[in-house]
Amino acid sequence: MSIKIQPMGDYQTNCYIITVDGKDFIIDPGVGATNWVKKNVSNPVAILNTHGHFDHVWSNDELSKLLNIKIYTPKQDEFMLKQDPYGLGMPPSTPDYLVEEDEELDFDGTKIKYHFFPGHTPGCSAIEIDNNLFSGDFIFYNSIGRTDFPFSNPNDMKNSIDKVLSWNKNIRIYPGHGQATSLNQERASLENWKNYL
């Protein structure tokens, strides 16, 4: 497995290209992601959204049409892709597949697990591929996603933190912004954030 990463747009949102067994998966194509993705894929298979915020889905529609691939989005965040709720002129996109809570997808033998961690958004999820967790805006290095936005929910975030802290394994974490980390490295920080919410 290989991981390519490129921060995109004003918010430096991490766009990832994950290549497994010759298949390229694009995670969170944000503002201006199209050219970079186009240059770095040879066999694109799917666009995977961790959640519906504009800086993670801005290039969904353009890339989907250009590469002729489907968009996979957490079911609860579908409305954000279609309605541009923050009024920023985001190009709307229509998910081809609405991912259910904690659903595992199978792409011709490549297993991709969506873990449901609401709080930052109603459908906020982290995507697990080969013991790597692409956490979107759920977990960052020494931090968590904000819960003071429209459609955020601090109580949901507390429950999501409890859920991930119950995992009895370590896992590498690649967040939606900033540097990579690991679950074991973040356990103390997550406990502190949970008490702060």
Side-chain angles (χ1 to χ4, degrees):
M1 185 178 109
S2 72
I3 300 171
K4 297 186 184 83
I5 172 176
Q6 181 64 45
M8 296 291 174
D10 291 342
Y11 293 91
Q12 293 290 279
T13 305
N14 291 332
C15 178
Y16 293 97
I17 298 171
I18 316 306
T19 304
V20 187
D21 298 329
K23 299 185 284 283
D24 299 320
F25 298 92
I26 300 147
I27 297 179
D28 288 356
V31 178
T34 299
N35 285 339
W36 177 76
V37 170
K38 193 168 58 171
K39 290 174 185 172
N40 285 278
V41 295
S42 55
N43 182 29
V45 171
I47 293 169
L48 309 174
N49 298 146
T50 60
H51 65 294
H53 276 159
F54 68 93
D55 57 315
H56 294 255
V57 304
W58 192 281
S59 298
N60 266 4
D61 188 62
E62 186 177 37
L63 269 173
S64 173
K65 288 173 178 170
L66 180 72
L67 302 176
N68 193 29
I69 56 177
K70 293 181 177 179
I71 300 167
Y72 293 73
T73 302
K75 184 177 183 179
Q76 294 85 346
D77 281 5
E78 177 188 15
F79 73 98
M80 292 188 183
L81 276 61
K82 293 183 170 183
Q83 296 175 13
D84 187 23
Y86 298 100
L88 297 169
M90 180 189 79
S93 57
T94 301
D96 300 282
Y97 188 93
L98 296 177
V99 183
E100 300 286 348
E101 298 177 17
D102 295 323
E103 184 173 358
E104 184 173 81
L105 307 173
D106 189 329
F107 294 90
D108 193 24
T110 299
K111 301 284 178 60
I112 292 180
K113 171 78 173 182
Y114 265 76
H115 295 280
F116 184 58
F117 292 121
H120 181 66
T121 67
C124 194
S125 299
I127 299 168
E128 182 179 0
I129 308 174
D130 282 356
N131 206 43
N132 297 283
L133 193 69
F134 299 89
S135 62
D137 286 0
F138 172 41
I139 298 173
F140 306 119
Y141 175 74
N142 278 341
S143 191
I144 59 170
R146 288 174 58 173
T147 58
D148 58 343
F149 289 142
F151 316 111
S152 298
N153 187 310
N155 286 328
D156 285 348
M157 179 64 89
K158 283 183 185 179
N159 292 333
S160 292
I161 291 172
D162 278 336
K163 180 177 174 180
V164 79
L165 286 174
S166 74
W167 290 7
N168 61 356
K169 65 175 181 177
N170 192 23
I171 192 168
R172 190 77 176 147
I173 294 174
Y174 293 89
H177 305 267
Q179 71 187 68
T181 183
S182 70
L183 181 55
N184 282 356
Q185 190 173 345
E186 297 304 320
R187 287 184 186 275
S189 169
L190 289 168
E191 286 284 2
N192 288 336
W193 280 106
K194 187 180 72 171
N195 295 328
Y196 174 79
L197 288 169

